[in-house]
Amino acid sequence: MILQYPHALLSKISSPIEDKLMLGMLLPAFKQSVDKHGKQALGLAASQIGLAYQMVWLKGFGYLINPKIIEHSETKIGVVESCLSVPGKFYTVERYKTVKILYRDEQFKLRRHLFTDTLSIVCQHELCHVLDGLCLPQYGVEINTIEDEEANEQ
């Protein structure tokens, strides 16, 4: 189940995963949720399913454990985003065009990766969940949809 904003866990900074044993206990539950919800998402943070640990999944890339931004471009871009924890809502935000991430993989090996384009945006979105305890309504500017406009007129 995806937690819905303003659930308290979505505003909590997630804890790092201490070792490979701990990862082995947590990752299967996270993978099960990704299998269930991944078709409708570009990414997922463990905190969105009730696991307050620093794990994220990015469609087209995989799992990042204890991720940290170690470099980013100076250039920011304005994007429109949505979030599984805030269904039906869209927000504008600014994101770095590229980010270099230090993380651990599924075998708990330390890795670095430079994310660009869509994966850079999705990665930053998911890191806001686990590293900052922030959900999109807390930092994005909501965009009114046609349905919102029609509801306001009635």
Side-chain angles (χ1 to χ4, degrees):
M1 177 175 121
I2 301 292
L3 299 181
Q4 300 300 296
Y5 181 79
H7 192 285
L9 192 58
L10 294 172
S11 296
K12 183 180 183 325
I13 294 172
S14 296
S15 299
I17 294 174
E18 300 296 330
D19 55 34
K20 194 172 184 176
L21 179 64
M22 186 178 193
L23 177 62
M25 291 186 295
L26 295 168
L27 191 57
F30 190 43
K31 283 185 169 186
Q32 186 176 29
S33 290
V34 167
D35 289 344
K36 183 176 181 180
H37 303 287
K39 291 175 186 66
Q40 59 192 7
L42 295 177
L44 189 65
S47 57
Q48 290 180 276
I49 62 153
L51 296 173
Y53 292 96
Q54 294 177 9
M55 291 188 293
V56 300
W57 168 80
L58 306 177
K59 185 178 276 183
F61 185 80
Y63 295 89
L64 291 87
I65 314 305
N66 299 338
K68 303 276 185 263
I69 296 174
I70 57 172
E71 289 179 28
H72 58 75
S73 61
E74 290 185 27
T75 306
K76 285 188 169 185
I77 53 175
V79 295
V80 174
E81 296 183 10
S82 62
C83 181
L84 290 177
S85 293
V86 193
K89 300 289 184 182
F90 296 88
Y91 299 83
T92 57
V93 295
E94 282 196 343
R95 300 285 188 201
Y96 295 111
K97 190 170 182 175
T98 64
V99 290
K100 185 180 279 187
I101 304 295
L102 179 68
Y103 69 100
R104 293 193 177 272
D105 65 15
E106 293 179 61
Q107 287 72 46
F108 213 66
K109 282 184 70 175
L110 198 57
R111 306 260 186 206
R112 288 177 180 77
H113 188 83
L114 179 65
F115 291 96
T116 62
D117 304 316
T118 301
L119 277 176
S120 174
I121 294 163
V122 175
C123 185
Q124 290 171 78
H125 175 106
E126 302 309 336
L127 293 188
C128 281
H129 282 297
V130 297
L131 299 181
D132 302 321
L134 294 175
C135 199
L136 202 47
Q138 296 170 287
Y139 61 89
V141 176
E142 187 174 347
I143 299 171
N144 286 332
T145 63
I146 293 171
E147 291 83 12
D148 292 336
E149 296 295 330
E150 288 172 352
N152 288 338
E153 289 176 5
Q154 295 177 7

